[in-house]
Amino acid sequence: MAFNGKYELESQKNYEEFLEAIGLLDAKTDHKVITEVVQDGDNFTWTQSIPNWTWSNKFTVGQECELKTMTGSKFTAPVTMEGSKISIQFPQYHFTAEIIDDKLVMNCITPGEKGVTFNRVNKRI
């Protein structure tokens, strides 16, 4: 249950470039993002919140799951665990998350020659 917990944004790199690459530049926010992860074995509920906006997905590692993008569009993708790293292919980017030194480290990588790697480090609260 390494992922269980509530986390607050500590640092991030390439946030605006990532939003631009996926067409969500108007979603830029200076709010501290709170991520809450509830893990029960291979079952996860993953929620990110800022004031007036919440985005949540429920998924099971090792299964094809119906998920939502940040804009609410639904898609289906397998959720895998590579070592201790969760991996999901979203429609516009590849998402990974892992716990490193009690911090939730997330990466989103857009494809292509001009791909953007967005990195977010979250401290446990």
Side-chain angles (χ1 to χ4, degrees), residues 2 34 37 45-47 53 55 63 81 92-93 101 107 109 125:
I34 301 295
V37 181
T45 301
W46 196 285
T47 305
W53 181 82
W55 173 45
Q63 293 186 15
M81 182 84 80
Q92 294 180 295
Y93 57 91
D101 297 329
N107 288 292
I109 303 168
I125 54 174

Side-chain angles (χ1 to χ4, degrees), residues 57-99:
N57 275 307
K58 291 183 180 188
F59 56 86
T60 302
V61 171
Q63 293 186 15
E64 185 112 341
C65 301
E66 185 177 274
L67 303 164
K68 288 187 294 187
T69 66
M70 288 184 278
T71 59
S73 300
K74 292 182 180 180
F75 70 100
T76 302
V79 177
T80 60
M81 182 84 80
E82 301 161 4
S84 60
K85 186 185 290 188
I86 292 172
S87 180
I88 305 170
Q89 182 62 54
F90 278 75
Q92 294 180 295
Y93 57 91
H94 185 252
F95 169 84
T96 61
E98 62 187 319
I99 302 296

Side-chain angles (χ1 to χ4, degrees), residues 1-124:
M1 307 303 174
F3 284 92
N4 257 337
K6 202 174 228 184
Y7 304 86
E8 180 180 52
L9 174 64
E10 184 175 83
S11 66
Q12 58 189 10
K13 293 179 191 158
N14 297 325
Y15 177 57
E16 289 183 23
E17 294 88 341
F18 171 72
L19 290 177
E20 186 175 323
I22 65 169
L24 283 178
L25 196 55
D26 59 341
K28 182 184 175 302
T29 177
D30 291 328
H31 296 291
K32 290 279 187 182
V33 178
I34 301 295
T35 302
E36 185 169 3
V37 181
V38 178
Q39 179 183 2
D40 180 12
D42 287 340
N43 300 308
F44 286 79
T45 301
W46 196 285
T47 305
Q48 289 188 301
S49 303
I50 60 171
N52 303 314
W53 181 82
T54 299
W55 173 45
S56 187
N57 275 307
K58 291 183 180 188
F59 56 86
T60 302
V61 171
Q63 293 186 15
E64 185 112 341
C65 301
E66 185 177 274
L67 303 164
K68 288 187 294 187
T69 66
M70 288 184 278
T71 59
S73 300
K74 292 182 180 180
F75 70 100
T76 302
V79 177
T80 60
M81 182 84 80
E82 301 161 4
S84 60
K85 186 185 290 188
I86 292 172
S87 180
I88 305 170
Q89 182 62 54
F90 278 75
Q92 294 180 295
Y93 57 91
H94 185 252
F95 169 84
T96 61
E98 62 187 319
I99 302 296
I100 300 174
D101 297 329
D102 208 36
K103 295 181 190 276
L104 175 62
V105 178
M106 300 184 290
N107 288 292
C108 297
I109 303 168
T110 62
E113 222 174 87
K114 297 183 182 193
V116 174
T117 299
F118 165 50
N119 171 267
R120 180 174 272 170
V121 177
N122 305 274
K123 64 184 176 186
R124 196 180 291 268

